[in-house]
Amino acid sequence: MKKTVSIIGVPMDLGQGRRGVDMGPFAIRYASVKERIERLGLTVKDQGNIHVPTAETHDIENQKLKYLPEVARVSEDLASKVSDTMAQGHFPVILGGDHSISIGSIAGIAKHFKKLGVIWFDAHGDMNTEDTTPSGNIHGMPLATCIGDGNEKLVNIAGYAPKLRPENVVIVGARSIDPDERELIKKHGITCFTMHEIDKLGIAKVMEEAIRIASNGTDGIHLSLDLDSIDPDMCPGVGTPVLGGVTYREGHLAMEMLYQSGKVVSCDLVEVNPILDEHNITARTAVDLLCSLLGESVM
């Protein structure tokens, strides 16, 4: 693990349809993310927030790709910021905001690796395109975008594509996937461990396989952690909650195994929505899981 963690906030809510997720970075900071990481003996540099325009000041030009120009501009800014952070040898932790921020974060990270693996910890597949999306919300498209499938403006963020190879991408915790999205996951050969596999095999076996696949021939793993992967009992403050998710303890074991692998080079924490939360429990859970990823343990 690198000794310096750089925190970058992205108060993005343009990628989805429920207001409040733009306050996610503030809620996570309020949950003492900097202080908790510092207790692990790591240096923390909080780089503040990327500027994100407000929805009310812009019109939706395309109902299949809502706020496309604005999301693309933020993604370019974020990619540049994250790339600079990587060039300094830091471990970037990007705080969302909705999951569309991963378009920019992965664009900034992947350019520093010959081959990047990704573990997409999420209740959803995020593999829609403008041709398959039922909502037009870009937060349902970032994984497809990163493997080179989707609108050109998003696919070519940071001036190159694709960012990821499907054979090194693993979705963990899925339990709500659209029919067309399911076909795209199969078409690209992406490994997807649904809650069925977690229930049947156990989280330890699933994570062993996920780490093996994401690290096979790669020189690093990016973790994209959507808090809706965790059961709503512990994470009620998310925009698209789905019952029957990963338990709090299973989430910690997954993060501990990722730390022990020594492969993780960066992380997104997304979809914390304080308006829908109860006593900031979702943000506090996000910080707890992040600290396990960074090496916190009982002993």
Side-chain angles (χ1 to χ4, degrees):
M1 182 64 64
K2 294 175 180 177
K3 295 296 184 182
T4 300
V5 174
S6 279
I7 294 173
I8 302 170
V10 193
M12 170 78 87
D13 67 350
L14 300 175
Q16 49 88 64
R18 301 186 77 175
R19 305 309 304 276
V21 74
D22 58 317
M23 294 186 285
F26 302 100
I28 295 170
R29 287 184 174 106
Y30 183 72
S32 303
V33 64
K34 183 175 184 288
E35 294 79 7
R36 288 280 305 279
I37 296 172
E38 287 174 336
R39 287 183 210 164
L40 303 176
L42 300 169
T43 300
V44 181
K45 293 189 176 181
D46 192 329
Q47 301 193 43
N49 288 346
I50 297 288
H51 172 71
V52 179
T54 57
E56 288 79 8
T57 60
H58 294 80
D59 296 325
I60 297 175
E61 300 173 5
N62 182 349
Q63 290 294 331
K64 284 290 188 179
L65 288 162
K66 295 176 182 177
Y67 300 108
L68 172 61
E70 294 75 30
V71 172
R73 281 198 294 272
V74 173
S75 297
E76 290 284 5
D77 291 346
L78 178 58
S80 177
K81 187 80 168 178
V82 169
S83 180
D84 290 346
T85 297
M86 295 294 296
Q88 295 173 48
H90 297 177
F91 184 102
V93 173
I94 303 99
L95 309 180
D98 68 62
H99 217 155
S100 68
I101 73 164
S102 293
I103 297 171
S105 60
I106 290 175
I109 293 158
K111 69 190 300 183
H112 291 269
F113 296 90
K114 290 181 180 178
K115 196 175 178 186
L116 181 69
V118 165
I119 293 180
W120 202 267
F121 220 85
D122 202 322
H124 308 89
D126 293 346
M127 275 291 294
N128 275 303
T129 68
E130 61 187 305
D131 297 323
T132 67
T133 176
S135 67
N137 293 328
I138 293 175
H139 80 152
M141 307 179 192
L143 186 52
T145 295
C146 289
I147 65 170
D149 200 352
N151 183 272
E152 270 188 16
K153 287 185 178 178
L154 299 176
V155 166
N156 291 312
I157 293 297
Y160 73 105
K163 279 73 176 178
L164 305 173
R165 299 183 187 183
E167 63 267 26
N168 294 119
V169 174
V170 186
I171 300 168
V172 177
R175 54 195 187 279
S176 178
I177 297 177
D178 299 320
D180 289 339
E181 191 179 27
R182 185 181 303 123
E183 293 308 309
L184 285 173
I185 291 170
K186 291 178 180 177
K187 171 189 168 185
H188 288 290
I190 292 173
T191 301
C192 181
F193 292 111
T194 68
M195 288 306 302
H196 171 82
E197 281 78 35
I198 291 176
D199 290 341
K200 183 177 180 180
L201 302 173
I203 191 66
K205 180 62 176 176
V206 165
M207 289 307 299
E208 284 176 4
E209 275 297 290
I211 292 166
R212 182 188 66 78
I213 294 165
S215 63
N216 184 25
T218 67
D219 40 2
I221 295 174
H222 172 75
L223 172 68
S224 197
L225 176 57
D226 189 322
L227 271 297
D228 71 19
S229 61
I230 308 301
D231 193 85
D233 280 351
M234 282 305 300
C235 287
V238 296
T240 47
V242 185
L243 292 174
V246 173
T247 67
Y248 180 77
R249 190 49 243 166
E250 286 173 332
H252 274 288
L253 179 56
M255 298 304 110
E256 290 160 1
M257 292 179 69
L258 283 167
Y259 171 73
Q260 290 164 3
S261 76
K263 303 287 188 180
V264 180
V265 296
S266 52
C267 175
D268 292 324
L269 292 173
V270 302
E271 298 286 356
V272 173
N273 189 328
I275 288 179
L276 305 174
D277 209 1
E278 300 170 9
H279 308 293
N280 213 34
I281 187 174
T282 304
R284 288 190 281 113
T285 298
V287 173
D288 288 346
L289 293 173
L290 174 63
C291 286
S292 286
L293 177 72
L294 296 177
E296 186 175 81
S297 61
V298 176
M299 294 293 291

